[in-house]
Amino acid sequence: MKVAVLTFDGFNELDSFIALGLINRLGHLGWSAEITSPSEQVRSMNGVAIAAQRPLEFANEADVVLFGSGIHTRTIAADGALLDRLRLDPVRQLIAGQCSGTLLMARLGLLADMPACTDSTTKPWVVEAGVRVVDEPFHARGPIATAGGCLASQYLAAWVMASRAGLSAARQALHYAAPVGEKDVYVERLLAVVKPFLSPA
């Protein structure tokens, strides 16, 4: 399972790294999540420079595409040449976005009439793009999902893992990363948020 974690200049570390770290707990099942960027290097909102593991076009062949957020997303959303590099297919791919990543999904026409989650700063721009924003941490319809709030990246990762590897595999991966002394209750609370949005097997 190939997962593209879309990561642009000014990215939010919590979005990209939490999802990357959790999903790669399924490496023993052949899963691989990779930082996917439009340039060879990107710098985070806090000045952390990282090398891209994959070029932006990798998203077009990946099984899962996650749009992270960042401080420059509004500018990126207006960059038609950059967005034209993305040729995503909801019939074949799971596609999800977090916070301002939801704005990029809206610009690409991926949200249609479904309600979406985002952060309070991005909300006016997403509404301006014609999307109804809901005050929830996570929402999905079919192969499309959105989340609101930096730490909501755990919901995106849980949804992706449960959707493609099953609840048991997702539970094991999340259990490993969950806080000691709270593991069972933490994992069940997390999965309770995404379970209603999982497609029937």
Side-chain angles (χ1 to χ4, degrees):
M1 191 68 64
K2 298 180 292 186
V3 182
V5 182
L6 299 191
T7 303
F8 302 91
D9 266 322
F11 72 93
N12 185 317
E13 302 93 339
L14 295 175
D15 294 7
S16 291
F17 295 151
I18 290 176
L20 181 87
L22 290 175
I23 291 171
N24 277 331
R25 295 288 178 192
L26 295 183
H28 64 288
L29 299 179
W31 286 54
S32 177
E34 298 180 274
I35 298 295
T36 301
S37 305
S39 54
E40 291 185 0
Q41 185 182 81
V42 287
R43 188 175 297 274
S44 78
M45 61 191 295
N46 291 305
V48 179
I50 63 169
Q53 295 173 288
R54 293 281 195 161
L56 190 62
E57 287 74 12
F58 171 65
N60 301 329
E61 65 181 75
D63 303 294
V64 179
V65 180
L66 300 181
F67 285 84
S69 71
I71 57 175
H72 302 315
T73 309
R74 200 176 186 192
T75 300
I76 294 165
D79 188 339
L82 189 153
L83 295 183
D84 282 346
R85 294 168 63 184
L86 293 171
R87 295 283 188 270
L88 306 184
D89 180 8
V91 173
R92 183 181 61 82
Q93 299 171 303
L94 287 184
I95 305 171
Q98 181 170 346
C99 297
S100 62
T102 300
L103 178 61
L104 298 180
M105 292 177 67
R107 293 292 187 219
L108 288 167
L110 294 167
L111 299 177
D113 63 346
M114 70 175 285
C117 307
T118 190
D119 62 282
S120 56
T121 299
T122 309
K123 180 178 179 178
W125 308 332
V126 175
V127 170
E128 184 181 44
V131 176
R132 179 169 67 88
V133 174
V134 291
D135 187 24
E136 299 172 10
F138 177 84
H139 188 88
R141 180 187 294 169
I144 303 294
T146 56
C150 301
L151 294 177
S153 53
Q154 61 186 333
Y155 297 124
L156 289 187
W159 175 75
V160 166
M161 292 189 290
S163 295
R164 288 292 186 263
L167 277 169
S168 179
R171 185 176 282 108
Q172 289 178 22
L174 296 168
H175 192 272
Y176 186 94
V180 171
E182 302 177 341
K183 288 184 178 291
D184 291 340
V185 66
Y186 186 96
V187 171
E188 292 311 315
R189 180 186 175 279
L190 199 165
L191 289 176
V193 173
V194 303
K195 278 182 182 178
F197 302 100
L198 297 175
S199 299

